[in-house]
Amino acid sequence: MDWLDEKLDKLLYCVRNLSFRKAMLVYILLLAPFAAVLTYVTQAFCRYQKIPFIGEWCGYIYAFTGFIITIFVFYQKRLKKPLSILNESVDKIRQNNLNFHVSYDSRDEFGALCDSVEAMRLELERNKEELWRLIERQKELNAAFAHDLRTPLTVLRGYTDFLARYIPEGKLSEDKLRDILELMAGHLKRLEDYSFTMKGIRSIEEVPFSCRQITLASLEGRIKEVIFALNQTGGVRILYRGFAAELSAMIEADDSIIMEVLENLLSNAIRFARSRIEVWMEYDSSEKELISVVRDDGPGFSEEQLAWAVKPYHKEYSADIEEEHFGIGLHICRELCGKHGGTLDVANSIQGGAAATASFCVRLAVNI
């Protein structure tokens, strides 16, 4: 009996995988003998009973009835299930639901069609995922662009406040005024260059990285200019401790990235500091590493926030801060530090408040 069941299963499997034309022929051949037997029996009965007409037409009646039954059985066995699968798949795709799988266990025409629909679904799913990635990257880039404009604009506002405060009092010499105007022009030029750069890229990862030879003195001068301007805006006092290394030391670094990271860290610290921010800059020639530390006296991070602080669109520190922001500053800093071969670490200071440490891999070019 098991042998018979096995043979029957093999026969049904072979029939299920036949093409429609061959399968229809098999169904007709399987039902034709029944129609022939019924015709023979009916005609014999009619001759025995001497019943006219029925014996002559029964063959046509059984043939037509068998044809109808064959079509019905063929639809139930070979068409109903795959058509239902395809209709459900099309409805789900129309509803923008791609979280399903199209499968039909047959190698006939509908099996091939279901495989094609499944391939189309997978391609649509990949395209949808890629589209969402592009949207997220564009969203992140737009947020980064808006975020990175904050500090340069704040710096310009600081210089403007400084001029507005001291020019009417006649406390600025022409040389000092010229110097400040040159600094403001430099920051405006930087904003123009930054806008041009951001226009041509599609993600933060595409931000250009370009090393050049600079001295620690020139880098520290730029840092002091930014801190001076930010201190003019009032509210929070920024204290700076410069490089302990020889300022004439020349390094190879991308100072634009270093300054952008520092400005982002300062922007975040200003948002949450109560009254004081401390900035340290160090250069370790043996480790070929430049380190920037920014610490504020704000509320600091919670344990949960420490785990997510560098993720994009995370609201840093506290939800109690009323000022709207993108929650992307530390994420940008981490990405930029990574481009410079460094890292970004955030922690709570033992003195209270939050501390962010950015490191950059730099190489000592020459001592002059």
Side-chain angles (χ1 to χ4, degrees):
M1 198 68 180
D2 292 339
W3 175 84
L4 181 61
D5 292 340
E6 183 180 350
K7 292 296 182 181
L8 182 60
D9 290 339
K10 288 184 178 180
L11 178 62
L12 293 176
Y13 176 79
C14 292
V15 173
R16 187 169 66 248
N17 289 283
L18 291 175
S19 64
F20 287 163
R21 183 174 58 183
K22 293 180 179 179
M24 178 60 75
L25 180 61
V26 169
Y27 276 73
I28 292 174
L29 291 177
L30 289 175
L31 291 175
F34 291 98
V37 170
L38 287 173
T39 301
Y40 175 78
V41 172
T42 302
Q43 288 177 346
F45 178 78
C46 290
R47 283 196 300 269
Y48 178 76
Q49 296 290 335
K50 297 182 180 180
I51 301 175
F53 302 112
I54 295 179
E56 298 177 4
W57 292 95
C58 67
Y60 298 103
I61 294 173
Y62 288 142
F64 179 76
T65 304
F67 182 71
I68 297 299
I69 293 174
T70 300
I71 293 176
F72 178 78
V73 173
F74 186 81
Y75 173 80
Q76 290 291 327
K77 297 295 184 180
R78 299 298 300 271
L79 300 180
K80 185 177 181 179
K81 182 178 179 179
L83 284 174
S84 176
I85 292 174
L86 290 172
N87 282 330
E88 290 178 2
S89 301
V90 171
D91 287 340
K92 289 179 179 179
I93 292 175
R94 187 184 297 115
Q95 297 168 9
N96 203 26
N97 175 19
L98 300 177
N99 188 25
F100 66 96
H101 181 67
V102 184
S103 177
Y104 178 58
D105 185 20
S106 177
R107 293 198 298 269
D108 62 9
E109 289 84 346
F110 268 120
L113 182 58
C114 287
D115 291 341
S116 298
V117 173
E118 173 64 11
M120 179 185 69
R121 183 197 68 82
L122 291 174
E123 186 64 27
L124 289 173
E125 190 174 35
R126 283 192 292 267
N127 291 339
K128 184 178 179 180
E129 290 175 354
E130 180 62 23
L131 178 61
W132 275 111
R133 280 195 294 268
L134 291 175
I135 291 174
E136 286 300 313
R137 290 171 65 183
Q138 188 61 49
K139 180 181 176 182
E140 182 177 293
L141 187 64
N142 292 339
F145 181 72
H147 187 279
D148 286 354
L149 290 179
R150 291 174 57 95
T151 303
L153 291 176
T154 303
V155 169
L156 290 172
R157 188 182 70 181
Y159 282 125
T160 303
D161 292 344
F162 179 79
L163 294 177
R165 185 183 305 118
Y166 291 108
I167 286 180
E169 298 177 5
K171 294 183 178 180
L172 291 180
S173 64
E174 291 187 5
D175 292 339
K176 182 64 175 178
L177 179 60
R178 188 181 301 109
D179 291 340
I180 292 178
L181 292 176
E182 288 179 358
L183 292 175
M184 295 178 68
H187 280 281
L188 288 173
K189 178 63 167 59
R190 182 187 167 202
L191 284 175
E192 291 176 358
D193 294 341
Y194 179 73
S195 300
F196 180 79
T197 299
M198 296 296 283
K199 180 181 178 181
I201 64 176
R202 296 170 295 179
S203 66
I204 296 177
E205 290 79 8
E206 295 182 10
V207 173
F209 172 72
S210 177
C211 278
R212 66 187 185 96
Q213 292 188 353
I214 58 172
T215 61
L216 294 179
S218 64
L219 180 61
E220 184 166 274
R222 293 183 60 182
I223 295 172
K224 287 181 176 180
E225 292 170 5
V226 170
I227 291 177
F228 172 80
L230 293 176
N231 277 330
Q232 306 309 310
T233 59
V236 178
R237 186 67 178 171
I238 304 175
L239 304 178
Y240 175 70
R241 188 181 75 185
F243 293 103
E246 179 62 43
L247 291 180
S248 61
M250 182 171 289
I251 60 174
E252 292 184 357
D254 188 330
D255 54 332
S256 296
I257 285 182
I258 295 174
M259 291 301 301
E260 187 172 349
V261 170
L262 178 60
E263 290 175 0
N264 273 323
L265 295 180
L266 284 171
S267 177
N268 284 345
I270 289 173
R271 185 180 299 115
F272 300 101
R274 294 187 176 93
S275 61
R276 178 187 178 97
I277 296 174
E278 297 176 348
V279 179
W280 295 275
M281 297 297 298
E282 297 180 4
Y283 174 64
D284 189 339
S285 59
S286 61
E287 297 292 335
K288 299 179 180 179
E289 187 177 50
L290 188 145
I291 299 173
S292 173
V293 180
V294 177
R295 186 181 74 84
D296 62 61
D297 61 350
F301 295 102
S302 67
E303 291 186 5
E304 180 182 359
Q305 289 168 333
L306 280 174
W308 294 95
V310 295
K311 302 293 183 181
Y313 314 117
H314 169 71
K315 302 299 183 181
E316 297 98 335
Y317 303 168
S318 174
D320 298 331
I321 302 298
E322 296 182 357
E323 183 182 1
E324 181 180 359
H325 64 289
F326 296 101
I328 197 174
L330 294 177
H331 172 68
I332 296 172
C333 291
R334 184 187 65 174
E335 295 295 321
L336 294 178
C337 287
K339 293 183 73 70
H340 215 301
T343 59
L344 175 71
D345 297 309
V346 294
N348 288 319
S349 173
I350 58 175
Q351 289 91 2
T357 303
S359 65
F360 310 88
C361 288
V362 298
R363 186 165 65 90
L364 185 64
V366 64
N367 288 324
I368 58 175

